[in-house]
Amino acid sequence: MLDAAAVETLTRSVMLGTGRAAAPLPQTFGGLIAPDDPKATLKALALLAQHARFRPSVGASPTSVESLFPDERAVVPEAARALLLALFAGKGGDLSDPVPLALADAMERKRVRLHPFDLPRLDDFVNMHADELGASAVAWTQRHAAATSRDVYSFVEVIDETNWTHGRPAQRAAFIRSLRATDATRARALVEGVFASEQAPVRLVLVKALAENLSSADQPFLEGLAKDRAPTVREAAESLLARLPGSQPAAKRLEECLSRIKRASTGMLRRRTVLQLDYPATVKEWQREAWAISTFGTISLDAFAKGLELSIDEVVAAAVDDQMLSTVLAVQASQARRYDLLAGLVRAGAANAWVAIVQADDFDIPDPEAWSSAAVQPDLWGELPMAAHLMRLHAKLRTPLPAPTAERLLASKAWRDVLGNAEQNMPSPIAFSTIAALIPPSLRESLRKQLALLPTNFTARALTAMTLLDLIEAA
Amino acid sequence: MSLTLAKVEEIAPDQGSLSAARKLLNPRSWPVVAGNDSGLVWGECQGSGSQPYRVVISETDLGYKCTCPSRKFPCKHALALMWMRAEGRAITREAQPDWVDDWLARRRGPGRSPAADKAEAKPRVSIATALEQESLEQESPAPDPKAQARAAAQRERNRAEREASILAGLDELDRWILDQLERGLAGFQSVAREQCGVAARRLVDAKASGLASRLEQLPAALFGLPEALRGDFLIEKLGELHLIAEGYRRQDELPAALKADLRLTIGWTMSREELLSDPQAMRVRDRWMVLAATQEIQPDKLRRLETWLARLGNTDLGEGEGPRFAVLMDFVPVSVGAVGKTYSAGESFEAELVFYPSGAPLRAIIAQQLGSMTREGCWQAPADDVAGALDRYEARLVARPWLADWPVAVRGATVGRVPDGLVLSDSKAALPIKSKEDDALLPLVGIEGIDAFGLWDGRRLDLKFAETPLGRWLAG
């Protein structure tokens, strides 16, 4: 057995070079290797190597055996794991349709988490929806961050007034929005209390959260933000002020809008007022919808009618010949939660007003069920809307369509045409997976039956997504 | 085991093949789909040519054959047939056609069906066969004893020439190692690739391809280690090369198994037929569970497929009771493209394995597979703690001093963190774990009571499989 000193000497010799630091081999090996052996150095090397291999090679005791991804939630059902991997992992994984969001939302509603062993393979999915997938997913996304640079906000499983300041920005904004629905003053007070100490991105989401139940009581706070350090925060506050009747920005915006309305009278026997949008010369034709929605969308419906010196019903009747103006009014009705009026406008010609609403970043849909019932009327669709629009609809609603609306969708001519002509038109599988995400649980069986008639290469993803949603909702 | 879609996914070489197979699921593409009760399914798939491709799959062992010219294995046609089978599409039951019989007769290894053996044992009797045999006999006359003797003598001369060539190559290897030692291993890293490449080529010329392969792989292994471990690693590897060379020179003094192992290590080969016909070869009949299936591309442009098996029948075997683990190795040229996995971790089957001769038997082939594969429940590691597993490793190292990666299993361990990585530990000892680029090991941290399996190279454990209270963990 070589002793430590001999090992040290031999190692030093072979590392530095036996030409420079020859090892005293006969002494080291106690005569086992003859001094005149031409292979003495090689033998010494082989013995040193074997000695090293038998050296206890155990590692240091662990400094920590705490889980890196703690989470109170239950793990998804075992049957769901393979399906999640099939949808989102590996080269065949796809995150471009609404299925990831639908599943993440379903998991958040049921308070279930991914199996920790699947986190590496579902890395892209986790990075995209960590806030919905729970504490372990958030910890996974931050696994490489140094303790100092790690996000100071942690995932809060159940958020309330006592812990909301510790939650992640999206959680905090959602909490403020929900509190605004029941106690707008308290919610604003909470925001005011922490506002100065927050970073700009957090201030921005908190200000945007105040859009829910906005009232003149919020005006002083919003006006105070005109001097905020971050331009994004200032712009968000100004945008909210523009929605407040009586505020200076709102008055200015109303004046600008009224100047863009052409008013005329028509009819031989019974004269009636006709309203038309007058687009600025600088707005190209393809920019008109975006311009109209951004300019008129935040104006209060009542203030708009008052400015035109007409009743709301008269405004609606006068705008009937200008589809864009009808769409603008539908957006205003949506913002004012006048769902009866919104439904009427949609039936009267603004069937695709929902597309404008869901595409605008500034508009929230606080009551998805009532809004969907009024705005989404599939029986009026000539053809199925683009998958991108349906995806946006799902992203805004974050919940399936109400059952009656979804039922009308599955029975609509637009949808039946897609099913009937699938083999000729080769629709994107995204169309089917988007519909699968929008359909409530009660109608999934009906959709399955419809999809069963199509080749599986169109429908496999949609069918897998529905199976997964069923599994998660039953967890 | 009946085919499942998950299994079809596993066996597919890539996503493109699966997508292409999906397009072939239309029944109109398959004028013929049939099967029999022994798990054979065959069909004819209409491709772009005038003749349909003939495809046959064996559900029992996932064997397949297709007449298409694709260089992906399995091809989209075989995958589509498996897919249809996994989905439970109706097939007609009928007698297998001649081309399926032909495929069965040509098959080797575990999948060779009893039907094929039966056909071999009792040739089909027909006038056509008789005429065929007669013409064959006329074409190939009886072997000439003199020619056979000449061929045997030539083979012996070739063998002797190769022995001499190898011995000369080993002398050159010794000189090369001495040169490196004289210059010092501290500076070897900067020239490792070039130097090892040159020395490996010389060994290839000397017909010591096994040793050449070890040398070619040395730089990659060296640079995969933390800087602090590289010096010791070089000493071990160069010392090991000399040990193998010296052992080869004195092979006649070694026990038979170790001598045979040494010759295989140097580069001599042993064909499957030679191994099967070797009466001394160790045979173990038991139930085996697949713990890992890996692929690695070697410097010689061969893809090495390794399937690591654990013996299920008796997990707590003492010394002399046969190996507890085995590895099946297959080699496929890289040029044939991606290859799907035939075995997946978690599957098990009963088989007789024949082990290549060695002081520490590990590599084996399947002599006979009995029955089909099944999905195994929870695997329990042999009752070793970390220190016990290391003791077993050292015992194997005594028996085979040039031991490479060795399977190690530990019961009831925990994965914990240390400043420079992770360790598999229990209350007494810990093994450093080789890190994975995809962080797949991190979710294991903190889980207690893990039954773990991995490959220990003397420094770090490459964790491959773990049964945990949260379920089974598999290396990616």
Side-chain angles (χ1 to χ4, degrees), chain A residues 215-235:
Chain A
S215 71
S216 54
D218 301 313
Q219 194 168 338
F221 174 63
L222 293 173
E223 283 173 347
L225 299 182
K227 291 177 184 169
D228 193 276
R229 302 184 296 281
T232 50
V233 175
R234 293 200 296 271
E235 284 166 18

PDB file of all heavy atoms in Angstrom, chain A residues 215-235:
ATOM      1  N   SER A 215     -64.051  55.149 -10.938  1.00  0.00           N
ATOM      2  CA  SER A 215     -65.028  56.197 -10.630  1.00  0.00           C
ATOM      3  C   SER A 215     -64.290  57.499 -10.353  1.00  0.00           C
ATOM      4  O   SER A 215     -63.059  57.533 -10.268  1.00  0.00           O
ATOM      5  CB  SER A 215     -65.854  55.804  -9.405  1.00  0.00           C
ATOM      6  OG  SER A 215     -65.042  55.876  -8.253  1.00  0.00           O
ATOM      7  N   SER A 216     -65.081  58.559 -10.192  1.00  0.00           N
ATOM      8  CA  SER A 216     -64.463  59.872  -9.974  1.00  0.00           C
ATOM      9  C   SER A 216     -63.682  59.910  -8.667  1.00  0.00           C
ATOM     10  O   SER A 216     -62.815  60.767  -8.474  1.00  0.00           O
ATOM     11  CB  SER A 216     -65.528  60.957  -9.999  1.00  0.00           C
ATOM     12  OG  SER A 216     -66.538  60.630  -9.075  1.00  0.00           O
ATOM     13  N   ALA A 217     -63.984  58.952  -7.764  1.00  0.00           N
ATOM     14  CA  ALA A 217     -63.236  58.921  -6.506  1.00  0.00           C
ATOM     15  C   ALA A 217     -61.761  58.600  -6.741  1.00  0.00           C
ATOM     16  O   ALA A 217     -60.901  58.895  -5.908  1.00  0.00           O
ATOM     17  CB  ALA A 217     -63.853  57.884  -5.567  1.00  0.00           C
ATOM     18  N   ASP A 218     -61.481  57.986  -7.870  1.00  0.00           N
ATOM     19  CA  ASP A 218     -60.093  57.622  -8.172  1.00  0.00           C
ATOM     20  C   ASP A 218     -59.321  58.783  -8.804  1.00  0.00           C
ATOM     21  O   ASP A 218     -58.102  58.689  -8.978  1.00  0.00           O
ATOM     22  CB  ASP A 218     -60.062  56.436  -9.156  1.00  0.00           C
ATOM     23  CG  ASP A 218     -60.764  55.214  -8.603  1.00  0.00           C
ATOM     24  OD1 ASP A 218     -60.497  54.882  -7.428  1.00  0.00           O
ATOM     25  OD2 ASP A 218     -61.583  54.618  -9.319  1.00  0.00           O
ATOM     26  N   GLN A 219     -60.063  59.840  -9.163  1.00  0.00           N
ATOM     27  CA  GLN A 219     -59.442  60.926  -9.940  1.00  0.00           C
ATOM     28  C   GLN A 219     -58.229  61.560  -9.250  1.00  0.00           C
ATOM     29  O   GLN A 219     -57.178  61.713  -9.873  1.00  0.00           O
ATOM     30  CB  GLN A 219     -60.487  61.979 -10.279  1.00  0.00           C
ATOM     31  CG  GLN A 219     -60.027  62.940 -11.353  1.00  0.00           C
ATOM     32  CD  GLN A 219     -61.180  63.790 -11.876  1.00  0.00           C
ATOM     33  OE1 GLN A 219     -62.341  63.417 -11.749  1.00  0.00           O
ATOM     34  NE2 GLN A 219     -60.853  64.925 -12.456  1.00  0.00           N
ATOM     35  N   PRO A 220     -58.336  61.916  -7.965  1.00  0.00           N
ATOM     36  CA  PRO A 220     -57.175  62.568  -7.329  1.00  0.00           C
ATOM     37  C   PRO A 220     -55.917  61.694  -7.370  1.00  0.00           C
ATOM     38  O   PRO A 220     -54.826  62.186  -7.663  1.00  0.00           O
ATOM     39  CB  PRO A 220     -57.640  62.794  -5.879  1.00  0.00           C
ATOM     40  CG  PRO A 220     -59.129  62.779  -5.963  1.00  0.00           C
ATOM     41  CD  PRO A 220     -59.495  61.858  -7.065  1.00  0.00           C
ATOM     42  N   PHE A 221     -56.104  60.412  -7.081  1.00  0.00           N
ATOM     43  CA  PHE A 221     -54.929  59.526  -7.094  1.00  0.00           C
ATOM     44  C   PHE A 221     -54.328  59.440  -8.498  1.00  0.00           C
ATOM     45  O   PHE A 221     -53.111  59.554  -8.674  1.00  0.00           O
ATOM     46  CB  PHE A 221     -55.334  58.128  -6.610  1.00  0.00           C
ATOM     47  CG  PHE A 221     -54.226  57.119  -6.717  1.00  0.00           C
ATOM     48  CD1 PHE A 221     -53.045  57.265  -5.991  1.00  0.00           C
ATOM     49  CD2 PHE A 221     -54.346  56.020  -7.552  1.00  0.00           C
ATOM     50  CE1 PHE A 221     -52.011  56.334  -6.103  1.00  0.00           C
ATOM     51  CE2 PHE A 221     -53.323  55.100  -7.671  1.00  0.00           C
ATOM     52  CZ  PHE A 221     -52.148  55.257  -6.933  1.00  0.00           C
ATOM     53  N   LEU A 222     -55.199  59.293  -9.486  1.00  0.00           N
ATOM     54  CA  LEU A 222     -54.702  59.162 -10.861  1.00  0.00           C
ATOM     55  C   LEU A 222     -54.047  60.468 -11.325  1.00  0.00           C
ATOM     56  O   LEU A 222     -53.021  60.440 -12.022  1.00  0.00           O
ATOM     57  CB  LEU A 222     -55.842  58.775 -11.806  1.00  0.00           C
ATOM     58  CG  LEU A 222     -56.419  57.371 -11.582  1.00  0.00           C
ATOM     59  CD1 LEU A 222     -57.655  57.140 -12.449  1.00  0.00           C
ATOM     60  CD2 LEU A 222     -55.376  56.300 -11.868  1.00  0.00           C
ATOM     61  N   GLU A 223     -54.614  61.585 -10.931  1.00  0.00           N
ATOM     62  CA  GLU A 223     -54.018  62.873 -11.322  1.00  0.00           C
ATOM     63  C   GLU A 223     -52.647  63.041 -10.670  1.00  0.00           C
ATOM     64  O   GLU A 223     -51.732  63.613 -11.257  1.00  0.00           O
ATOM     65  CB  GLU A 223     -54.954  64.031 -10.940  1.00  0.00           C
ATOM     66  CG  GLU A 223     -56.117  64.151 -11.914  1.00  0.00           C
ATOM     67  CD  GLU A 223     -57.163  65.174 -11.489  1.00  0.00           C
ATOM     68  OE1 GLU A 223     -57.136  65.622 -10.314  1.00  0.00           O
ATOM     69  OE2 GLU A 223     -58.026  65.485 -12.318  1.00  0.00           O
ATOM     70  N   GLY A 224     -52.522  62.498  -9.481  1.00  0.00           N
ATOM     71  CA  GLY A 224     -51.235  62.570  -8.779  1.00  0.00           C
ATOM     72  C   GLY A 224     -50.136  61.785  -9.492  1.00  0.00           C
ATOM     73  O   GLY A 224     -48.940  62.038  -9.286  1.00  0.00           O
ATOM     74  N   LEU A 225     -50.531  60.866 -10.330  1.00  0.00           N
ATOM     75  CA  LEU A 225     -49.543  60.035 -11.033  1.00  0.00           C
ATOM     76  C   LEU A 225     -48.975  60.740 -12.266  1.00  0.00           C
ATOM     77  O   LEU A 225     -48.136  60.169 -12.967  1.00  0.00           O
ATOM     78  CB  LEU A 225     -50.161  58.692 -11.451  1.00  0.00           C
ATOM     79  CG  LEU A 225     -50.671  57.819 -10.305  1.00  0.00           C
ATOM     80  CD1 LEU A 225     -51.205  56.491 -10.835  1.00  0.00           C
ATOM     81  CD2 LEU A 225     -49.556  57.536  -9.303  1.00  0.00           C
ATOM     82  N   ALA A 226     -49.447  61.929 -12.530  1.00  0.00           N
ATOM     83  CA  ALA A 226     -48.916  62.674 -13.686  1.00  0.00           C
ATOM     84  C   ALA A 226     -47.427  62.952 -13.517  1.00  0.00           C
ATOM     85  O   ALA A 226     -46.729  63.239 -14.494  1.00  0.00           O
ATOM     86  CB  ALA A 226     -49.669  63.978 -13.848  1.00  0.00           C
ATOM     87  N   LYS A 227     -46.956  62.884 -12.263  1.00  0.00           N
ATOM     88  CA  LYS A 227     -45.527  63.150 -12.019  1.00  0.00           C
ATOM     89  C   LYS A 227     -44.750  61.866 -11.715  1.00  0.00           C
ATOM     90  O   LYS A 227     -43.644  61.913 -11.178  1.00  0.00           O
ATOM     91  CB  LYS A 227     -45.380  64.108 -10.840  1.00  0.00           C
ATOM     92  CG  LYS A 227     -45.864  65.507 -11.167  1.00  0.00           C
ATOM     93  CD  LYS A 227     -45.765  66.404  -9.956  1.00  0.00           C
ATOM     94  CE  LYS A 227     -46.340  67.775 -10.278  1.00  0.00           C
ATOM     95  NZ  LYS A 227     -46.496  68.586  -9.062  1.00  0.00           N
ATOM     96  N   ASP A 228     -45.345  60.726 -12.020  1.00  0.00           N
ATOM     97  CA  ASP A 228     -44.642  59.462 -11.750  1.00  0.00           C
ATOM     98  C   ASP A 228     -43.348  59.394 -12.565  1.00  0.00           C
ATOM     99  O   ASP A 228     -43.254  59.930 -13.668  1.00  0.00           O
ATOM    100  CB  ASP A 228     -45.541  58.273 -12.121  1.00  0.00           C
ATOM    101  CG  ASP A 228     -44.999  56.965 -11.573  1.00  0.00           C
ATOM    102  OD1 ASP A 228     -44.122  56.353 -12.237  1.00  0.00           O
ATOM    103  OD2 ASP A 228     -45.425  56.571 -10.469  1.00  0.00           O
ATOM    104  N   ARG A 229     -42.367  58.685 -12.005  1.00  0.00           N
ATOM    105  CA  ARG A 229     -41.055  58.591 -12.663  1.00  0.00           C
ATOM    106  C   ARG A 229     -41.131  57.829 -13.981  1.00  0.00           C
ATOM    107  O   ARG A 229     -40.382  58.091 -14.910  1.00  0.00           O
ATOM    108  CB  ARG A 229     -40.065  57.878 -11.741  1.00  0.00           C
ATOM    109  CG  ARG A 229     -39.883  58.533 -10.400  1.00  0.00           C
ATOM    110  CD  ARG A 229     -38.817  57.827  -9.574  1.00  0.00           C
ATOM    111  NE  ARG A 229     -39.163  56.455  -9.224  1.00  0.00           N
ATOM    112  CZ  ARG A 229     -39.987  56.121  -8.238  1.00  0.00           C
ATOM    113  NH1 ARG A 229     -40.584  57.071  -7.519  1.00  0.00           N
ATOM    114  NH2 ARG A 229     -40.224  54.855  -7.960  1.00  0.00           N
ATOM    115  N   ALA A 230     -42.039  56.863 -14.052  1.00  0.00           N
ATOM    116  CA  ALA A 230     -42.076  55.993 -15.241  1.00  0.00           C
ATOM    117  C   ALA A 230     -43.096  56.511 -16.266  1.00  0.00           C
ATOM    118  O   ALA A 230     -44.261  56.712 -15.921  1.00  0.00           O
ATOM    119  CB  ALA A 230     -42.443  54.577 -14.827  1.00  0.00           C
ATOM    120  N   PRO A 231     -42.673  56.736 -17.517  1.00  0.00           N
ATOM    121  CA  PRO A 231     -43.619  57.198 -18.538  1.00  0.00           C
ATOM    122  C   PRO A 231     -44.780  56.226 -18.739  1.00  0.00           C
ATOM    123  O   PRO A 231     -45.906  56.653 -18.985  1.00  0.00           O
ATOM    124  CB  PRO A 231     -42.773  57.282 -19.810  1.00  0.00           C
ATOM    125  CG  PRO A 231     -41.371  57.150 -19.392  1.00  0.00           C
ATOM    126  CD  PRO A 231     -41.323  56.574 -18.036  1.00  0.00           C
ATOM    127  N   THR A 232     -44.495  54.910 -18.603  1.00  0.00           N
ATOM    128  CA  THR A 232     -45.571  53.920 -18.813  1.00  0.00           C
ATOM    129  C   THR A 232     -46.666  54.096 -17.772  1.00  0.00           C
ATOM    130  O   THR A 232     -47.856  53.961 -18.075  1.00  0.00           O
ATOM    131  CB  THR A 232     -45.011  52.491 -18.720  1.00  0.00           C
ATOM    132  OG1 THR A 232     -44.244  52.371 -17.521  1.00  0.00           O
ATOM    133  CG2 THR A 232     -44.144  52.152 -19.917  1.00  0.00           C
ATOM    134  N   VAL A 233     -46.268  54.404 -16.555  1.00  0.00           N
ATOM    135  CA  VAL A 233     -47.244  54.599 -15.478  1.00  0.00           C
ATOM    136  C   VAL A 233     -48.041  55.871 -15.747  1.00  0.00           C
ATOM    137  O   VAL A 233     -49.279  55.905 -15.589  1.00  0.00           O
ATOM    138  CB  VAL A 233     -46.537  54.665 -14.102  1.00  0.00           C
ATOM    139  CG1 VAL A 233     -47.530  54.992 -12.993  1.00  0.00           C
ATOM    140  CG2 VAL A 233     -45.821  53.352 -13.820  1.00  0.00           C
ATOM    141  N   ARG A 234     -47.345  56.927 -16.170  1.00  0.00           N
ATOM    142  CA  ARG A 234     -48.039  58.196 -16.463  1.00  0.00           C
ATOM    143  C   ARG A 234     -49.078  57.987 -17.569  1.00  0.00           C
ATOM    144  O   ARG A 234     -50.203  58.453 -17.471  1.00  0.00           O
ATOM    145  CB  ARG A 234     -47.019  59.256 -16.901  1.00  0.00           C
ATOM    146  CG  ARG A 234     -46.069  59.691 -15.799  1.00  0.00           C
ATOM    147  CD  ARG A 234     -45.434  61.037 -16.105  1.00  0.00           C
ATOM    148  NE  ARG A 234     -44.589  61.007 -17.283  1.00  0.00           N
ATOM    149  CZ  ARG A 234     -43.275  60.712 -17.275  1.00  0.00           C
ATOM    150  NH1 ARG A 234     -42.677  60.434 -16.118  1.00  0.00           N
ATOM    151  NH2 ARG A 234     -42.580  60.731 -18.378  1.00  0.00           N
ATOM    152  N   GLU A 235     -48.677  57.254 -18.613  1.00  0.00           N
ATOM    153  CA  GLU A 235     -49.603  57.012 -19.735  1.00  0.00           C
ATOM    154  C   GLU A 235     -50.809  56.192 -19.290  1.00  0.00           C
ATOM    155  O   GLU A 235     -51.943  56.469 -19.690  1.00  0.00           O
ATOM    156  CB  GLU A 235     -48.880  56.281 -20.866  1.00  0.00           C
ATOM    157  CG  GLU A 235     -47.971  57.170 -21.680  1.00  0.00           C
ATOM    158  CD  GLU A 235     -47.029  56.367 -22.571  1.00  0.00           C
ATOM    159  OE1 GLU A 235     -47.304  55.181 -22.808  1.00  0.00           O
ATOM    160  OE2 GLU A 235     -46.016  56.939 -23.006  1.00  0.00           O
TER     161      GLU A 235
END
